[in-house]
Amino acid sequence: MSIQVFGLPVSRGVAIGRAVLVASSRVDVPHVFVDPQDIDDEVARLVSARDHVSGEFDALKRDLPADAPAELAALLDVHQMLLQDEALIGAAADWVRQRHYNAEWALSAQLEVLARQFDEMEDAYIRERKADLEQVVERLLRHLAQGDAARAQDPHRNPRDFGGEEPLVLVASDIAPADMLNFKRSVFTGFVTDVGGKTSHTAIVARSMDIPAVVGARQASSLIRQDDYIIVDGDAGLVIVDPSPIVLEEYRFRQRQSELERSRLARLRHTPAVTLDGERVELLANIEMPEDGQAALEAGAVGVGLFRSEFLFMNRGGNLPDEEEQYDAYRRAVEAMKGMPVTIRTVDIGADKPLEGMTSSELRHESVLNPALGLRAIRWSLSEPSMFRRQLRALFRAAHHGPVKILIPMLASQREIRQTLENIAHVQRQLADSGKPFGKVELGAMIEVPAAALTLPIFLRHFDFVSIGTNDLIQYTLAIDRADEAVAHLYDPWHPAVLQLIASTITQARAAGKGVSVCGEMAGDPAFTELLLAMGLRSFSMHPTQVASVKQRVLRADTRRLTGLFDEVMGSDDPEQACADALRASTGGAPAPTRALSIA
Ligand code: PEP
Ligand code: MG
């Protein structure tokens, strides 16, 4: 019988495929498809890992001191027995043969199956053997990782390359943003997690991959089983397990429709984003890695409005990139954008983007207590001046190769502004003394803390531009943790307090002749396009995949007819409804005309 699991829709579209359950601690296990001719070798890797670990257990048992407690020897026997059970290696080999999973993936898939069986046992003693099984699998995985796991295989290979392979959907209790990055261009066509909010960084990365995703689907990883056939409805926040044929057909139809819609929108790529009354609007891209510049160009973005540089610092066991490595990455992003501006944000580490293996005691401390309010973003950079200056030097040097804008996250006070500017001046002197070429940059502040929005004139005095980070501005204005699914229903971009702060920031920045853009998720949500235009916004930064749909709204907008929209929305008890009603009324209930249609 089919079951439905509800969560939060975070990345649009429909994915249909087999569930791959991955324990949160094992998402960094390589997930690679094995070529059909290499299947036997992959099974042999499993068998050889088993033999190796079995030898380790024998040696451990043999070397036990004479006075060791008898339980230790018994425990090693249990581990040996679990290791030798056909339900582990034999069944994992079936995953390799039938689904072409690599050995590590097959083992973790089989572990999920067995762990669930243990969970369902009546007998508490047997239930507790799950921990032993996990230890055995950890040993096997460690051995595989040390061995020839790094064999050249293409992690980006599409599952459908192996005729008959079905698309796969990743289901996990949680996926850290850093691990999510590993899944970019991976084999998965959809994501489901138990935890997370709409603008948690895991959701943001899923959106940047344009892969249907549902987060905060609390029970998903316990209700869905390995290999279940599932539908992920990323528009409604719904996961359907084992759908009936009629439901399946309906969703396949929707998949085809959205593919058609995408290819229709893709034709807008070269159309300039100009409103019906001739207002030019800048549509920029948010990226996580230099390579994403390509997607930004393909989407028709006219620059990068937010490069989240912290992703360069992740997945490296806490070894931070040095100046040369960062310089190289920023230069590549600049070159990829072929003369268009690239706005690079200094690291925003902390909150839901912790660094693995950090040694700073403060960082560990804050991550336990109240991460979103802790040592995050510029606060962390200022507490680690040598790291901060290293990044600033790399940024100024990259600016020698093309237009770079530096964006500082989460500033709240004058003192932080002063310290930031002192570091920048210091780095410029250092670079001048060193004789290394470096370029001029524009300097911007993110407005994502209400304190910054409420004291904007101070920021406008010191910075060339501001960029509104609505994700955090909403979080900090409404006191709602953006990554916590328990309060996700209260996370409200339509809240008048939020709209007021955004509007006043735009108005003041424009009056001061300074650049202003929005780079939070609101910029890429077409539901807000007209309202933001009505507030005076002319620069939006979003995931490359969102550029076309926002552009379509821009092309259909007439800013002269939007003048009263903000007041109308603010004067209403239901701003979202008021906005939709006002827009419908302004077009007489019909879709507004669009210049784009003439080119379609
Ligand atoms: C924001 O807060 O809106 C923003 C763009 O930054 P991030 O989502 O990375 O916190
Ligand atoms: Mg932010």
Side-chain angles (χ1 to χ4, degrees):
M1 201 191 65
S2 106
I3 52 170
Q4 299 188 344
V5 189
F6 292 91
L8 302 165
V10 295
S11 185
R12 66 195 180 147
V14 171
I16 304 173
R18 294 270 170 208
V20 175
L21 259 91
V22 180
S24 304
S25 58
R26 274 180 211 91
V27 282
D28 56 351
V29 159
H31 293 79
V32 178
F33 284 103
V34 180
D35 278 328
Q37 69 271 19
D38 295 333
I39 298 276
D40 289 342
D41 288 350
E42 202 63 14
V43 172
R45 286 182 71 223
L46 274 175
V47 173
S48 120
R50 182 195 59 197
D51 294 346
H52 176 88
V53 171
S54 172
E56 280 181 356
F57 288 150
D58 286 343
L60 282 169
K61 197 168 166 197
R62 197 177 51 238
D63 298 342
L64 274 181
D67 57 349
E71 288 82 6
L72 271 184
L75 190 67
L76 284 169
D77 287 341
V78 170
H79 283 198
Q80 184 70 273
M81 194 189 72
L82 290 167
L83 176 69
Q84 300 298 340
D85 197 316
E86 269 304 285
L88 185 59
I89 300 296
D94 288 342
W95 287 108
V96 178
R97 288 199 194 92
Q98 286 161 22
R99 295 246 174 266
H100 300 179
Y101 293 178
N102 62 326
E104 293 89 337
W105 182 359
L107 261 179
S108 19
Q110 187 54 19
L111 173 62
E112 287 304 310
V113 172
L114 296 174
R116 198 174 286 241
Q117 290 173 6
F118 276 106
D119 284 341
E120 286 164 3
M121 295 287 179
E122 295 273 314
D123 185 323
Y125 173 81
I126 300 185
R127 233 180 12 247
E128 281 157 19
R129 300 288 67 76
K130 182 173 115 176
D132 295 309
L133 179 69
E134 284 172 341
Q135 286 174 22
V136 171
V137 171
E138 285 305 331
R139 263 183 191 272
L140 287 162
L141 288 174
R142 228 174 303 131
H143 175 72
L144 286 166
Q146 284 161 2
D148 53 357
R151 291 173 313 156
Q153 298 197 26
D154 179 6
H156 308 323
R157 188 178 292 140
N158 186 317
R160 275 158 289 201
D161 289 350
F162 298 108
E165 282 295 336
E166 282 165 314
L168 301 172
V169 175
L170 186 108
V171 181
S173 171
D174 191 14
I175 309 175
D179 292 323
M180 199 72 182
L181 209 61
N182 282 336
F183 291 124
K184 274 204 164 194
R185 293 176 290 274
S186 75
V187 295
F188 298 109
T189 56
F191 290 97
V192 181
T193 62
D194 293 350
V195 304
K198 261 190 160 180
T199 57
S200 61
H201 283 93
T202 298
I204 286 176
V205 180
R207 221 161 8 246
S208 78
M209 295 156 74
D210 203 19
I211 284 185
V214 172
V215 305
R218 299 196 169 180
Q219 301 296 320
S221 73
S222 47
L223 289 173
I224 300 170
R225 289 166 187 266
Q226 200 71 261
D227 225 30
D228 270 350
Y229 203 67
I230 63 174
I231 295 173
V232 180
D233 181 341
D235 300 310
L238 174 66
V239 184
I240 305 173
V241 187
D242 200 8
S244 66
I246 198 151
V247 170
L248 197 58
E249 195 34 55
E250 166 69 20
Y251 272 98
R252 288 209 190 285
F253 175 74
R254 276 187 42 192
Q255 252 185 335
R256 288 193 295 273
Q257 292 295 101
S258 68
E259 268 156 33
L260 279 177
E261 171 70 5
R262 276 175 208 215
S263 51
R264 201 174 61 78
L265 281 177
R267 290 188 231 154
L268 297 181
R269 188 182 148 198
H270 298 296
T271 310
V274 181
T275 63
L276 289 172
D277 54 322
E279 288 283 319
R280 286 202 159 269
V281 179
E282 184 181 48
L283 300 183
L284 305 164
N286 291 356
I287 64 171
E288 279 91 39
M289 292 303 230
E291 299 70 46
D292 299 339
Q294 187 58 31
L297 285 182
E298 281 166 17
V302 295
V304 169
L306 173 65
F307 176 175
R308 289 183 163 96
S309 71
E310 56 275 12
F311 283 92
L312 292 175
F313 289 59
M314 296 178 180
N315 288 331
R316 28 189 320 137
N319 294 320
L320 306 186
D322 64 15
E323 181 181 326
E324 288 310 310
E325 186 178 343
Q326 288 190 59
Y327 162 64
D328 184 58
Y330 305 143
R331 184 181 47 76
R332 277 188 288 128
V334 169
E335 286 172 355
M337 292 311 291
K338 304 185 191 316
M340 296 181 199
V342 179
T343 311
I344 306 177
R345 180 174 73 182
T346 58
V347 284
D348 184 357
I349 288 296
D352 67 336
K353 284 177 293 191
L355 270 192
E356 66 278 12
M358 279 306 300
T359 50
S360 153
S361 58
E362 295 96 326
L363 200 71
R364 264 187 278 134
H365 184 59
E366 69 84 27
S367 65
V368 174
L369 291 178
N370 209 337
L373 301 181
L375 193 65
R376 184 192 157 183
I378 188 63
R379 302 171 181 184
W380 183 56
S381 293
L382 291 175
S383 75
E384 302 270 348
S386 51
M387 186 283 306
F388 187 35
R389 289 176 185 174
R390 205 175 304 137
Q391 177 166 39
L392 290 172
R393 278 194 300 274
L395 288 168
F396 273 98
R397 287 175 57 198
H400 179 64
H401 302 276
V404 168
K405 298 179 175 193
I406 297 181
L407 185 57
I408 310 292
M410 221 187 151
L411 285 164
S413 70
Q414 192 136 28
R415 192 174 120 156
E416 288 166 337
I417 296 177
R418 186 172 37 75
Q419 288 178 348
T420 301
L421 297 179
E422 280 168 7
N423 275 291
I424 288 174
H426 179 88
V427 158
Q428 282 174 310
R429 281 196 303 274
Q430 272 184 332
L431 284 171
D433 291 347
S434 74
K436 283 184 187 158
F438 66 101
K440 275 200 166 57
V441 302
E442 276 187 46
L443 194 60
M446 283 197 76
I447 304 301
E448 50 184 352
V449 178
L454 292 168
T455 55
L456 200 74
I458 302 174
F459 288 77
L460 295 175
R461 275 206 297 278
H462 294 288
F463 291 92
D464 302 311
F465 69 99
V466 291
S467 185
I468 308 173
T470 51
N471 307 336
D472 278 315
L473 190 60
I474 298 167
Q475 152 162 280
Y476 296 126
T477 304
L478 304 182
I480 300 297
D481 186 338
R482 61 193 266 196
D484 184 352
E485 71 282 359
V487 286
H489 60 293
L490 301 171
Y491 184 93
D492 181 13
W494 291 100
H495 195 295
V498 172
L499 299 179
Q500 184 67 59
L501 290 175
I502 297 173
S504 74
T505 301
I506 296 169
T507 307
Q508 291 178 70
R510 286 184 58 139
K514 298 281 169 108
V516 53
S517 70
V518 170
C519 63
E521 296 298 298
M522 278 171 84
D525 183 345
F528 291 98
T529 308
E530 289 86 356
L531 185 59
L532 291 170
L533 287 171
M535 292 176 185
L537 190 74
R538 296 293 180 267
S539 175
F540 297 60
S541 192
M542 65 204 78
H543 303 295
T545 52
Q546 297 168 324
V547 170
S549 18
V550 171
K551 189 185 281 185
Q552 190 180 41
R553 299 291 280 242
V554 168
L555 295 168
R556 289 174 172 174
D558 183 334
T559 60
R560 293 165 307 188
R561 297 173 72 176
L562 293 176
T563 43
L565 183 62
F566 178 64
D567 289 341
E568 215 165 313
V569 168
M570 291 298 282
S572 153
D573 288 339
D574 185 345
E576 182 173 8
Q577 191 59 47
C579 188
D581 290 347
L583 291 177
R584 203 170 309 114
S586 79
T587 57
T594 165
R595 292 168 180 229
L597 287 182
S598 60
I599 62 128

